[in-house]
């Protein structure tokens, strides 16, 4: 029968198991009745198990959790599991993580515990907040840092601005001029993609515009500039939440560099951040661009539109009918008199319609354009196209009806 050996506390020097020079040891009662197990090596406490079962790993650590590690850890098994044993995070051994079932919750970082200020001293509602920064390391091999952020202005809402919010995708890139302690302008930019900015501004306040409300500020007289990003809330009592969507870090340095980081504990400013001496201020730009075919099935409102080529819908009509919601150019190929009824003015403000007698027989087969109900056409109930090859362009004013903007009679 195997014998069991028991080392009792009375057989160990003051409840301690130690080596010959006493600098590496295990202590189960360093202090009277503390009920803790301590592990020392080379004269320093490296691990502790507390009386309430918390395990701390690190030099002279006081653990606050079941497992509290001060320093880097390596998980050889590759997985982190939940209470049921299911995989939550998988590690592929190459420095990448996989969320096994996706990311169910994702709260943005609260940039400031305070909300945007109300109007005062001639300033409008809202204010400025520094939501992210990048500290250039000054390395001769450093070139660029780029990141993308999701910014949401919401929360802290009063009764009169609950519907107001704003969500943006912000992309930033900073490229240093390594030889001149400056930056490269064509490699430094700040783009913004709006998601719901139309609901950000309250009455009497300008709508969000990145050319005035999104800023990048940094010095140009140092090889280690701090690049700060600011955004403006256009309404009061808003919190700023930022989510880092990803970025390059600081390329051409080391793989551990983090690049742009989200700021916390910031203060709101009612006025635009100043640009100190030897600093540059770069404003944002709308990022939306379409590089392929774009089809709009509903109304689209734009402040300005630049296109290389545009295609509009053309529809043939040869009988009395009502103008359709998708019509723009109506190609009249009638062989008898026809009447075309316009859409109602109250849902068509700003809409443009064009009519053309294509076959050149409007003189004998008139085309009557009729307003909806009491809607007028330049003050008249109808407009009759009775010249061969005639073309007419109408625009709805949303008040009286339709206006004749051009008429061509060859």
């Amino acid at each position: 029968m195997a014998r069991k050996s028991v080392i009792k506390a009375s057989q160990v020097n003051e409840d301690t198991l130690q080596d010959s020079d006493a600098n590496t040891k295990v202590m189960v009662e360093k202090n009277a009745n503390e009920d803790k197990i301590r592990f020392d090596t080379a004269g320093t406490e490296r691990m502790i198990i507390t009386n309430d079962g918390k395990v701390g790993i690190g030099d002279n650590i006081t653990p606050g959790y079941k497992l509290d590690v001060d320093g880097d850890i390596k998980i050889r098994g590759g997985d982190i599991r939940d209470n049921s044993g299911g995989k939550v995070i998988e590690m592929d051994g190459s420095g990448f993580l996989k969320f096994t079932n996706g990311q169910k919750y994702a709260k943005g970082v609260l940039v400031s515990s305070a909300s945007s200020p109300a109007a005062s001293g001639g300033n409008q509602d809202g204010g400025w907040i520094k939501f992210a920064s990048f500290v250039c390391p000054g390395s001769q091999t450093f070139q660029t840092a780029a990141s993308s952020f999701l910014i949401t202005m919401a929360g802290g809402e009063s009764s009169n601005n609950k519907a107001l919010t704003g969500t943006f995708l912000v992309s930033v890139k900073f490229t240093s001029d390594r030889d001149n302690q400056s930056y490269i302008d064509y490699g430094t930019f700040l783009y913004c993609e709006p998601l719901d900015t139309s609901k950000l501004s309250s009455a009497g306040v300008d709508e969000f515009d990145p050319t005035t409300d999104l800023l990048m500020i940094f010095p140009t007289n140092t090889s280690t500039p701090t690049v700060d990003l600011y955004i403006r809330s256009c309404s009061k009592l808003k919190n700023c939440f930022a989510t880092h969507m990803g970025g390059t870090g600081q390329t051409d340095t080391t793989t551990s560099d983090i690049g742009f980081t989200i700021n916390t504990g910031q203060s709101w400013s009612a006025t635009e951040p100043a640009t100190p001496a030897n600093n540059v201020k770069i404003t944002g730009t709308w990022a939306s661009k379409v590089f392929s075919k774009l089809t709009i099935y509903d109304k689209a409102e734009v402040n300005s539109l630049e296109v290389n080529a545009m295609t509009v819908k053309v529809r043939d009509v040869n009988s009395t009918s009502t103008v359709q919601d998708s019509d723009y150019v109506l190609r009249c190929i009638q062989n008898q008199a026809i009447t075309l009824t316009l859409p109602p003015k109250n849902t068509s403000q700003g809409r443009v319609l064009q009519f053309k007698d294509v076959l050149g027989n409007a003189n004998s087969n008139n085309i009557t354009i009729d307003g909806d109900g009491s809607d007028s056409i330049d003050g008249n109930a109808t407009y009759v196209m009775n010249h061969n090859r005639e073309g007419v362009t109408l625009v709805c004013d949303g008040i009286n009806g339709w206006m004749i903007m051009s008429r061509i009679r060859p």
Side-chain angles (χ1 to χ4, degrees):
M1 180 176 179
R3 296 183 61 188
K4 180 170 69 174
S5 297
V6 178
I7 301 177
K8 298 181 179 180
S10 59
Q11 298 174 291
V12 180
N13 181 24
E14 296 183 356
D15 297 335
T16 301
L17 179 65
Q18 62 187 23
D19 63 1
S20 60
D21 60 1
N23 68 351
T24 298
K25 52 193 171 184
V26 178
M27 293 176 287
V28 295
E29 202 77 8
K30 180 179 180 179
N31 302 306
N33 200 32
E34 71 171 359
D35 298 328
K36 298 177 182 178
I37 304 176
R38 303 171 184 269
F39 300 82
D40 290 15
T41 62
T44 300
E45 184 177 289
R46 310 294 188 182
M47 189 173 81
I48 184 173
I49 303 174
T50 63
N51 56 331
D52 55 356
K54 296 185 177 73
V55 178
I57 302 176
D59 294 353
N60 300 306
I61 188 173
T62 300
Y65 302 91
K66 281 296 183 183
L67 178 61
D68 197 337
V69 179
D70 181 9
D72 297 337
I73 64 173
K74 179 177 181 179
I75 301 176
R76 294 184 179 274
D79 300 329
I80 297 177
R81 298 175 180 267
D82 60 15
N83 290 339
S84 66
K87 294 181 181 180
V88 178
I89 299 176
E90 300 176 54
M91 304 179 192
D92 67 356
S94 300
F96 298 100
L97 290 180
K98 172 187 175 184
F99 292 93
T100 306
N101 293 314
Q103 187 173 346
K104 189 175 182 180
Y105 310 103
K107 180 181 178 181
V109 175
L110 185 60
V111 178
S112 173
S113 60
S115 58
S116 55
S120 64
N123 298 310
Q124 295 179 332
D125 277 350
W128 293 85
I129 194 80
K130 183 170 67 175
F131 68 90
S133 296
F134 159 64
V135 180
C136 179
S139 168
Q140 284 299 107
T141 57
F142 168 77
Q143 286 187 331
T144 185
S147 285
S148 295
F149 299 91
L150 178 67
I151 306 296
T152 300
M153 298 288 186
E157 296 166 341
S158 64
S159 59
N160 62 352
N161 73 346
K162 289 182 179 178
L164 303 178
T165 186
T167 305
F168 315 85
L169 288 174
V170 176
S171 294
V172 58
K173 182 180 180 182
F174 175 80
T175 303
S176 68
D177 183 344
R178 295 175 296 180
D179 298 325
N180 299 302
Q181 292 189 358
S182 186
Y183 75 106
I184 298 175
D185 56 357
Y186 56 81
T188 302
F189 54 76
L190 188 58
Y191 288 148
C192 182
E193 185 71 34
L195 300 183
D196 63 348
T197 61
S198 62
K199 291 187 177 181
L200 178 61
S201 302
S202 55
V205 180
D206 296 335
E207 287 287 350
F208 179 87
D209 184 343
T211 62
T212 56
D213 301 330
L214 183 63
L215 301 175
M216 172 167 41
I217 299 177
F218 55 88
T220 58
N221 60 347
T222 174
S223 60
T224 57
T226 296
V227 183
D228 293 323
L229 304 181
Y230 297 85
I231 194 168
R232 176 175 173 256
S233 169
C234 296
S235 57
K236 64 182 179 180
L237 299 176
K238 295 299 172 187
N239 293 118
C240 178
F241 296 87
T243 301
H244 199 170
M245 308 298 289
T248 62
Q250 302 165 7
T251 59
D252 278 9
T253 52
T254 70
T255 56
S256 63
D257 290 329
I258 57 176
F260 282 93
T261 58
I262 296 173
N263 294 321
T264 57
Q266 297 296 303
S267 298
W268 289 88
S269 172
T271 58
E272 180 177 327
T275 307
N278 300 311
N279 275 245
V280 170
K281 177 174 69 177
I282 294 177
T283 59
T285 302
W286 290 124
S288 296
K289 293 183 179 180
V290 178
F291 296 97
S292 59
K293 181 180 179 181
L294 172 66
T295 301
I296 299 175
Y297 292 100
D298 204 346
K299 182 175 70 174
E301 297 182 3
V302 295
N303 293 324
S304 62
L305 180 65
E306 180 180 341
V307 296
N308 293 326
M310 182 173 66
T311 301
V312 298
K313 182 176 181 180
V314 178
R315 184 171 69 90
D316 288 350
V317 290
N318 59 9
S319 61
T320 295
S321 59
T322 298
V323 172
Q324 299 178 4
D325 289 342
S326 59
D327 283 337
Y328 182 73
V329 176
L330 290 101
R331 187 174 178 268
C332 301
I333 55 173
Q334 75 287 352
N335 53 21
Q336 74 278 332
I338 63 173
T339 297
L340 302 176
T341 302
L342 295 169
K345 65 185 180 183
N346 61 332
T347 59
S348 303
Q349 185 176 26
R351 185 173 177 184
V352 179
L353 289 171
Q354 295 182 338
F355 303 83
K356 175 66 177 179
D357 173 36
V358 177
L359 300 181
N361 59 9
N363 181 259
S364 56
N365 297 313
N366 293 171
I367 304 165
T368 300
I369 303 175
D370 185 21
D372 177 75
S374 61
D375 295 357
S376 65
I377 304 172
D378 268 4
N380 300 307
T382 61
Y383 176 80
V384 179
M385 297 173 61
N386 54 17
H387 285 71
N388 292 340
R389 306 288 182 183
E390 183 176 351
V392 176
T393 299
L394 304 180
V395 175
C396 180
D397 63 9
I399 302 173
N400 299 312
W402 295 78
M403 305 174 289
I404 298 175
M405 304 305 293
S406 67
R407 181 176 62 183
I408 299 175
R409 292 177 170 177

mmCIF file with all atom_site columns, all heavy atoms in Angstrom, residues 52-73:
data_model
loop_
_atom_site.group_PDB
_atom_site.id
_atom_site.type_symbol
_atom_site.label_atom_id
_atom_site.label_alt_id
_atom_site.label_comp_id
_atom_site.label_asym_id
_atom_site.label_entity_id
_atom_site.label_seq_id
_atom_site.pdbx_PDB_ins_code
_atom_site.Cartn_x
_atom_site.Cartn_y
_atom_site.Cartn_z
_atom_site.occupancy
_atom_site.B_iso_or_equiv
_atom_site.pdbx_formal_charge
_atom_site.auth_seq_id
_atom_site.auth_comp_id
_atom_site.auth_asym_id
_atom_site.auth_atom_id
_atom_site.pdbx_PDB_model_num
ATOM 1   N N   . ASP A 1 52 ? -10.383 35.084 -0.848  1.00 0.00 ? 52 ASP A N   1
ATOM 2   C CA  . ASP A 1 52 ? -11.686 34.934 -1.491  1.00 0.00 ? 52 ASP A CA  1
ATOM 3   C C   . ASP A 1 52 ? -11.571 34.301 -2.882  1.00 0.00 ? 52 ASP A C   1
ATOM 4   O O   . ASP A 1 52 ? -12.484 34.394 -3.700  1.00 0.00 ? 52 ASP A O   1
ATOM 5   C CB  . ASP A 1 52 ? -12.411 36.283 -1.581  1.00 0.00 ? 52 ASP A CB  1
ATOM 6   C CG  . ASP A 1 52 ? -11.587 37.352 -2.271  1.00 0.00 ? 52 ASP A CG  1
ATOM 7   O OD1 . ASP A 1 52 ? -10.414 37.082 -2.611  1.00 0.00 ? 52 ASP A OD1 1
ATOM 8   O OD2 . ASP A 1 52 ? -12.103 38.462 -2.476  1.00 0.00 ? 52 ASP A OD2 1
ATOM 9   N N   . GLY A 1 53 ? -10.427 33.682 -3.167  1.00 0.00 ? 53 GLY A N   1
ATOM 10  C CA  . GLY A 1 53 ? -10.284 32.894 -4.381  1.00 0.00 ? 53 GLY A CA  1
ATOM 11  C C   . GLY A 1 53 ? -9.835  33.630 -5.610  1.00 0.00 ? 53 GLY A C   1
ATOM 12  O O   . GLY A 1 53 ? -9.812  33.068 -6.708  1.00 0.00 ? 53 GLY A O   1
ATOM 13  N N   . LYS A 1 54 ? -9.435  34.889 -5.493  1.00 0.00 ? 54 LYS A N   1
ATOM 14  C CA  . LYS A 1 54 ? -8.935  35.638 -6.647  1.00 0.00 ? 54 LYS A CA  1
ATOM 15  C C   . LYS A 1 54 ? -7.470  35.275 -6.882  1.00 0.00 ? 54 LYS A C   1
ATOM 16  O O   . LYS A 1 54 ? -6.696  35.142 -5.932  1.00 0.00 ? 54 LYS A O   1
ATOM 17  C CB  . LYS A 1 54 ? -9.071  37.136 -6.428  1.00 0.00 ? 54 LYS A CB  1
ATOM 18  C CG  . LYS A 1 54 ? -10.506 37.634 -6.297  1.00 0.00 ? 54 LYS A CG  1
ATOM 19  C CD  . LYS A 1 54 ? -10.532 39.151 -6.199  1.00 0.00 ? 54 LYS A CD  1
ATOM 20  C CE  . LYS A 1 54 ? -11.943 39.698 -6.132  1.00 0.00 ? 54 LYS A CE  1
ATOM 21  N NZ  . LYS A 1 54 ? -12.574 39.456 -4.826  1.00 0.00 ? 54 LYS A NZ  1
ATOM 22  N N   . VAL A 1 55 ? -7.123  35.155 -8.176  1.00 0.00 ? 55 VAL A N   1
ATOM 23  C CA  . VAL A 1 55 ? -5.754  34.807 -8.558  1.00 0.00 ? 55 VAL A CA  1
ATOM 24  C C   . VAL A 1 55 ? -5.133  36.000 -9.273  1.00 0.00 ? 55 VAL A C   1
ATOM 25  O O   . VAL A 1 55 ? -5.676  36.493 -10.266 1.00 0.00 ? 55 VAL A O   1
ATOM 26  C CB  . VAL A 1 55 ? -5.719  33.567 -9.473  1.00 0.00 ? 55 VAL A CB  1
ATOM 27  C CG1 . VAL A 1 55 ? -4.282  33.263 -9.899  1.00 0.00 ? 55 VAL A CG1 1
ATOM 28  C CG2 . VAL A 1 55 ? -6.342  32.362 -8.773  1.00 0.00 ? 55 VAL A CG2 1
ATOM 29  N N   . GLY A 1 56 ? -4.014  36.474 -8.732  1.00 0.00 ? 56 GLY A N   1
ATOM 30  C CA  . GLY A 1 56 ? -3.301  37.574 -9.365  1.00 0.00 ? 56 GLY A CA  1
ATOM 31  C C   . GLY A 1 56 ? -1.946  37.124 -9.853  1.00 0.00 ? 56 GLY A C   1
ATOM 32  O O   . GLY A 1 56 ? -1.192  36.476 -9.115  1.00 0.00 ? 56 GLY A O   1
ATOM 33  N N   . ILE A 1 57 ? -1.635  37.438 -11.123 1.00 0.00 ? 57 ILE A N   1
ATOM 34  C CA  . ILE A 1 57 ? -0.343  37.098 -11.711 1.00 0.00 ? 57 ILE A CA  1
ATOM 35  C C   . ILE A 1 57 ? 0.326   38.400 -12.124 1.00 0.00 ? 57 ILE A C   1
ATOM 36  O O   . ILE A 1 57 ? -0.212  39.150 -12.952 1.00 0.00 ? 57 ILE A O   1
ATOM 37  C CB  . ILE A 1 57 ? -0.501  36.156 -12.917 1.00 0.00 ? 57 ILE A CB  1
ATOM 38  C CG1 . ILE A 1 57 ? -1.221  34.866 -12.502 1.00 0.00 ? 57 ILE A CG1 1
ATOM 39  C CG2 . ILE A 1 57 ? 0.863   35.845 -13.535 1.00 0.00 ? 57 ILE A CG2 1
ATOM 40  C CD1 . ILE A 1 57 ? -1.511  33.925 -13.654 1.00 0.00 ? 57 ILE A CD1 1
ATOM 41  N N   . GLY A 1 58 ? 1.465   38.676 -11.546 1.00 0.00 ? 58 GLY A N   1
ATOM 42  C CA  . GLY A 1 58 ? 2.178   39.916 -11.816 1.00 0.00 ? 58 GLY A CA  1
ATOM 43  C C   . GLY A 1 58 ? 2.975   40.307 -10.592 1.00 0.00 ? 58 GLY A C   1
ATOM 44  O O   . GLY A 1 58 ? 2.775   39.775 -9.489  1.00 0.00 ? 58 GLY A O   1
ATOM 45  N N   . ASP A 1 59 ? 3.894   41.218 -10.766 1.00 0.00 ? 59 ASP A N   1
ATOM 46  C CA  . ASP A 1 59 ? 4.756   41.616 -9.659  1.00 0.00 ? 59 ASP A CA  1
ATOM 47  C C   . ASP A 1 59 ? 3.969   42.396 -8.617  1.00 0.00 ? 59 ASP A C   1
ATOM 48  O O   . ASP A 1 59 ? 3.440   43.488 -8.893  1.00 0.00 ? 59 ASP A O   1
ATOM 49  C CB  . ASP A 1 59 ? 5.920   42.462 -10.173 1.00 0.00 ? 59 ASP A CB  1
ATOM 50  C CG  . ASP A 1 59 ? 6.869   41.668 -11.061 1.00 0.00 ? 59 ASP A CG  1
ATOM 51  O OD1 . ASP A 1 59 ? 6.684   40.434 -11.153 1.00 0.00 ? 59 ASP A OD1 1
ATOM 52  O OD2 . ASP A 1 59 ? 7.774   42.280 -11.668 1.00 0.00 ? 59 ASP A OD2 1
ATOM 53  N N   . ASN A 1 60 ? 3.870   41.818 -7.394  1.00 0.00 ? 60 ASN A N   1
ATOM 54  C CA  . ASN A 1 60 ? 3.236   42.478 -6.251  1.00 0.00 ? 60 ASN A CA  1
ATOM 55  C C   . ASN A 1 60 ? 1.822   42.980 -6.564  1.00 0.00 ? 60 ASN A C   1
ATOM 56  O O   . ASN A 1 60 ? 1.433   44.083 -6.206  1.00 0.00 ? 60 ASN A O   1
ATOM 57  C CB  . ASN A 1 60 ? 4.104   43.653 -5.773  1.00 0.00 ? 60 ASN A CB  1
ATOM 58  C CG  . ASN A 1 60 ? 5.484   43.202 -5.343  1.00 0.00 ? 60 ASN A CG  1
ATOM 59  O OD1 . ASN A 1 60 ? 5.623   42.307 -4.507  1.00 0.00 ? 60 ASN A OD1 1
ATOM 60  N ND2 . ASN A 1 60 ? 6.514   43.799 -5.938  1.00 0.00 ? 60 ASN A ND2 1
ATOM 61  N N   . ILE A 1 61 ? 1.054   42.164 -7.255  1.00 0.00 ? 61 ILE A N   1
ATOM 62  C CA  . ILE A 1 61 ? -0.278  42.550 -7.682  1.00 0.00 ? 61 ILE A CA  1
ATOM 63  C C   . ILE A 1 61 ? -1.301  42.269 -6.594  1.00 0.00 ? 61 ILE A C   1
ATOM 64  O O   . ILE A 1 61 ? -1.169  41.322 -5.810  1.00 0.00 ? 61 ILE A O   1
ATOM 65  C CB  . ILE A 1 61 ? -0.657  41.796 -8.987  1.00 0.00 ? 61 ILE A CB  1
ATOM 66  C CG1 . ILE A 1 61 ? -1.973  42.333 -9.552  1.00 0.00 ? 61 ILE A CG1 1
ATOM 67  C CG2 . ILE A 1 61 ? -0.751  40.294 -8.741  1.00 0.00 ? 61 ILE A CG2 1
ATOM 68  C CD1 . ILE A 1 61 ? -2.317  41.744 -10.913 1.00 0.00 ? 61 ILE A CD1 1
ATOM 69  N N   . THR A 1 62 ? -2.327  43.123 -6.509  1.00 0.00 ? 62 THR A N   1
ATOM 70  C CA  . THR A 1 62 ? -3.486  42.879 -5.648  1.00 0.00 ? 62 THR A CA  1
ATOM 71  C C   . THR A 1 62 ? -4.674  42.620 -6.575  1.00 0.00 ? 62 THR A C   1
ATOM 72  O O   . THR A 1 62 ? -5.211  43.567 -7.161  1.00 0.00 ? 62 THR A O   1
ATOM 73  C CB  . THR A 1 62 ? -3.780  44.082 -4.744  1.00 0.00 ? 62 THR A CB  1
ATOM 74  O OG1 . THR A 1 62 ? -2.644  44.341 -3.910  1.00 0.00 ? 62 THR A OG1 1
ATOM 75  C CG2 . THR A 1 62 ? -5.001  43.817 -3.867  1.00 0.00 ? 62 THR A CG2 1
ATOM 76  N N   . PRO A 1 63 ? -5.077  41.378 -6.768  1.00 0.00 ? 63 PRO A N   1
ATOM 77  C CA  . PRO A 1 63 ? -6.097  41.069 -7.775  1.00 0.00 ? 63 PRO A CA  1
ATOM 78  C C   . PRO A 1 63 ? -7.472  41.602 -7.387  1.00 0.00 ? 63 PRO A C   1
ATOM 79  O O   . PRO A 1 63 ? -7.865  41.570 -6.215  1.00 0.00 ? 63 PRO A O   1
ATOM 80  C CB  . PRO A 1 63 ? -6.094  39.543 -7.823  1.00 0.00 ? 63 PRO A CB  1
ATOM 81  C CG  . PRO A 1 63 ? -5.581  39.114 -6.481  1.00 0.00 ? 63 PRO A CG  1
ATOM 82  C CD  . PRO A 1 63 ? -4.597  40.159 -6.083  1.00 0.00 ? 63 PRO A CD  1
ATOM 83  N N   . GLY A 1 64 ? -8.184  42.068 -8.385  1.00 0.00 ? 64 GLY A N   1
ATOM 84  C CA  . GLY A 1 64 ? -9.540  42.553 -8.167  1.00 0.00 ? 64 GLY A CA  1
ATOM 85  C C   . GLY A 1 64 ? -10.581 41.650 -8.799  1.00 0.00 ? 64 GLY A C   1
ATOM 86  O O   . GLY A 1 64 ? -11.782 41.899 -8.648  1.00 0.00 ? 64 GLY A O   1
ATOM 87  N N   . TYR A 1 65 ? -10.122 40.611 -9.514  1.00 0.00 ? 65 TYR A N   1
ATOM 88  C CA  . TYR A 1 65 ? -11.033 39.716 -10.207 1.00 0.00 ? 65 TYR A CA  1
ATOM 89  C C   . TYR A 1 65 ? -10.567 38.273 -10.009 1.00 0.00 ? 65 TYR A C   1
ATOM 90  O O   . TYR A 1 65 ? -9.488  38.016 -9.473  1.00 0.00 ? 65 TYR A O   1
ATOM 91  C CB  . TYR A 1 65 ? -11.085 40.055 -11.697 1.00 0.00 ? 65 TYR A CB  1
ATOM 92  C CG  . TYR A 1 65 ? -11.506 41.481 -11.956 1.00 0.00 ? 65 TYR A CG  1
ATOM 93  C CD1 . TYR A 1 65 ? -10.546 42.499 -12.070 1.00 0.00 ? 65 TYR A CD1 1
ATOM 94  C CD2 . TYR A 1 65 ? -12.852 41.826 -12.051 1.00 0.00 ? 65 TYR A CD2 1
ATOM 95  C CE1 . TYR A 1 65 ? -10.927 43.817 -12.284 1.00 0.00 ? 65 TYR A CE1 1
ATOM 96  C CE2 . TYR A 1 65 ? -13.245 43.133 -12.268 1.00 0.00 ? 65 TYR A CE2 1
ATOM 97  C CZ  . TYR A 1 65 ? -12.279 44.126 -12.388 1.00 0.00 ? 65 TYR A CZ  1
ATOM 98  O OH  . TYR A 1 65 ? -12.668 45.429 -12.589 1.00 0.00 ? 65 TYR A OH  1
ATOM 99  N N   . LYS A 1 66 ? -11.406 37.326 -10.444 1.00 0.00 ? 66 LYS A N   1
ATOM 100 C CA  . LYS A 1 66 ? -11.058 35.916 -10.299 1.00 0.00 ? 66 LYS A CA  1
ATOM 101 C C   . LYS A 1 66 ? -9.700  35.608 -10.910 1.00 0.00 ? 66 LYS A C   1
ATOM 102 O O   . LYS A 1 66 ? -8.928  34.821 -10.367 1.00 0.00 ? 66 LYS A O   1
ATOM 103 C CB  . LYS A 1 66 ? -12.129 35.036 -10.948 1.00 0.00 ? 66 LYS A CB  1
ATOM 104 C CG  . LYS A 1 66 ? -13.360 34.867 -10.090 1.00 0.00 ? 66 LYS A CG  1
ATOM 105 C CD  . LYS A 1 66 ? -13.040 34.136 -8.784  1.00 0.00 ? 66 LYS A CD  1
ATOM 106 C CE  . LYS A 1 66 ? -14.271 33.892 -7.943  1.00 0.00 ? 66 LYS A CE  1
ATOM 107 N NZ  . LYS A 1 66 ? -13.955 33.248 -6.650  1.00 0.00 ? 66 LYS A NZ  1
ATOM 108 N N   . LEU A 1 67 ? -9.399  36.219 -12.070 1.00 0.00 ? 67 LEU A N   1
ATOM 109 C CA  . LEU A 1 67 ? -8.069  36.126 -12.656 1.00 0.00 ? 67 LEU A CA  1
ATOM 110 C C   . LEU A 1 67 ? -7.644  37.523 -13.067 1.00 0.00 ? 67 LEU A C   1
ATOM 111 O O   . LEU A 1 67 ? -8.300  38.151 -13.901 1.00 0.00 ? 67 LEU A O   1
ATOM 112 C CB  . LEU A 1 67 ? -8.050  35.186 -13.863 1.00 0.00 ? 67 LEU A CB  1
ATOM 113 C CG  . LEU A 1 67 ? -6.698  35.058 -14.584 1.00 0.00 ? 67 LEU A CG  1
ATOM 114 C CD1 . LEU A 1 67 ? -5.627  34.514 -13.643 1.00 0.00 ? 67 LEU A CD1 1
ATOM 115 C CD2 . LEU A 1 67 ? -6.820  34.179 -15.824 1.00 0.00 ? 67 LEU A CD2 1
ATOM 116 N N   . ASP A 1 68 ? -6.578  38.013 -12.481 1.00 0.00 ? 68 ASP A N   1
ATOM 117 C CA  . ASP A 1 68 ? -6.099  39.372 -12.713 1.00 0.00 ? 68 ASP A CA  1
ATOM 118 C C   . ASP A 1 68 ? -4.630  39.275 -13.105 1.00 0.00 ? 68 ASP A C   1
ATOM 119 O O   . ASP A 1 68 ? -3.790  38.875 -12.295 1.00 0.00 ? 68 ASP A O   1
ATOM 120 C CB  . ASP A 1 68 ? -6.280  40.199 -11.445 1.00 0.00 ? 68 ASP A CB  1
ATOM 121 C CG  . ASP A 1 68 ? -6.198  41.698 -11.707 1.00 0.00 ? 68 ASP A CG  1
ATOM 122 O OD1 . ASP A 1 68 ? -5.587  42.090 -12.712 1.00 0.00 ? 68 ASP A OD1 1
ATOM 123 O OD2 . ASP A 1 68 ? -6.748  42.456 -10.884 1.00 0.00 ? 68 ASP A OD2 1
ATOM 124 N N   . VAL A 1 69 ? -4.333  39.619 -14.371 1.00 0.00 ? 69 VAL A N   1
ATOM 125 C CA  . VAL A 1 69 ? -2.979  39.463 -14.894 1.00 0.00 ? 69 VAL A CA  1
ATOM 126 C C   . VAL A 1 69 ? -2.406  40.829 -15.232 1.00 0.00 ? 69 VAL A C   1
ATOM 127 O O   . VAL A 1 69 ? -3.022  41.605 -15.968 1.00 0.00 ? 69 VAL A O   1
ATOM 128 C CB  . VAL A 1 69 ? -2.966  38.562 -16.149 1.00 0.00 ? 69 VAL A CB  1
ATOM 129 C CG1 . VAL A 1 69 ? -1.546  38.424 -16.705 1.00 0.00 ? 69 VAL A CG1 1
ATOM 130 C CG2 . VAL A 1 69 ? -3.545  37.191 -15.825 1.00 0.00 ? 69 VAL A CG2 1
ATOM 131 N N   . ASP A 1 70 ? -1.241  41.123 -14.692 1.00 0.00 ? 70 ASP A N   1
ATOM 132 C CA  . ASP A 1 70 ? -0.533  42.353 -15.009 1.00 0.00 ? 70 ASP A CA  1
ATOM 133 C C   . ASP A 1 70 ? 0.588   42.001 -15.981 1.00 0.00 ? 70 ASP A C   1
ATOM 134 O O   . ASP A 1 70 ? 1.670   41.573 -15.571 1.00 0.00 ? 70 ASP A O   1
ATOM 135 C CB  . ASP A 1 70 ? 0.017   42.987 -13.736 1.00 0.00 ? 70 ASP A CB  1
ATOM 136 C CG  . ASP A 1 70 ? 0.745   44.306 -14.016 1.00 0.00 ? 70 ASP A CG  1
ATOM 137 O OD1 . ASP A 1 70 ? 0.666   44.789 -15.163 1.00 0.00 ? 70 ASP A OD1 1
ATOM 138 O OD2 . ASP A 1 70 ? 1.387   44.831 -13.090 1.00 0.00 ? 70 ASP A OD2 1
ATOM 139 N N   . GLY A 1 71 ? 0.314   42.183 -17.282 1.00 0.00 ? 71 GLY A N   1
ATOM 140 C CA  . GLY A 1 71 ? 1.292   41.829 -18.304 1.00 0.00 ? 71 GLY A CA  1
ATOM 141 C C   . GLY A 1 71 ? 0.641   41.070 -19.448 1.00 0.00 ? 71 GLY A C   1
ATOM 142 O O   . GLY A 1 71 ? -0.577  40.839 -19.456 1.00 0.00 ? 71 GLY A O   1
ATOM 143 N N   . ASP A 1 72 ? 1.410   40.713 -20.438 1.00 0.00 ? 72 ASP A N   1
ATOM 144 C CA  . ASP A 1 72 ? 0.903   39.984 -21.597 1.00 0.00 ? 72 ASP A CA  1
ATOM 145 C C   . ASP A 1 72 ? 0.613   38.532 -21.228 1.00 0.00 ? 72 ASP A C   1
ATOM 146 O O   . ASP A 1 72 ? 1.254   37.952 -20.354 1.00 0.00 ? 72 ASP A O   1
ATOM 147 C CB  . ASP A 1 72 ? 1.929   40.008 -22.737 1.00 0.00 ? 72 ASP A CB  1
ATOM 148 C CG  . ASP A 1 72 ? 2.184   41.425 -23.238 1.00 0.00 ? 72 ASP A CG  1
ATOM 149 O OD1 . ASP A 1 72 ? 1.305   42.284 -23.040 1.00 0.00 ? 72 ASP A OD1 1
ATOM 150 O OD2 . ASP A 1 72 ? 3.265   41.665 -23.811 1.00 0.00 ? 72 ASP A OD2 1
ATOM 151 N N   . ILE A 1 73 ? -0.382  37.958 -21.913 1.00 0.00 ? 73 ILE A N   1
ATOM 152 C CA  . ILE A 1 73 ? -0.693  36.547 -21.710 1.00 0.00 ? 73 ILE A CA  1
ATOM 153 C C   . ILE A 1 73 ? -0.689  35.831 -23.054 1.00 0.00 ? 73 ILE A C   1
ATOM 154 O O   . ILE A 1 73 ? -0.929  36.438 -24.097 1.00 0.00 ? 73 ILE A O   1
ATOM 155 C CB  . ILE A 1 73 ? -2.054  36.345 -21.006 1.00 0.00 ? 73 ILE A CB  1
ATOM 156 C CG1 . ILE A 1 73 ? -3.198  36.877 -21.887 1.00 0.00 ? 73 ILE A CG1 1
ATOM 157 C CG2 . ILE A 1 73 ? -2.075  36.996 -19.641 1.00 0.00 ? 73 ILE A CG2 1
ATOM 158 C CD1 . ILE A 1 73 ? -4.561  36.551 -21.339 1.00 0.00 ? 73 ILE A CD1 1
#
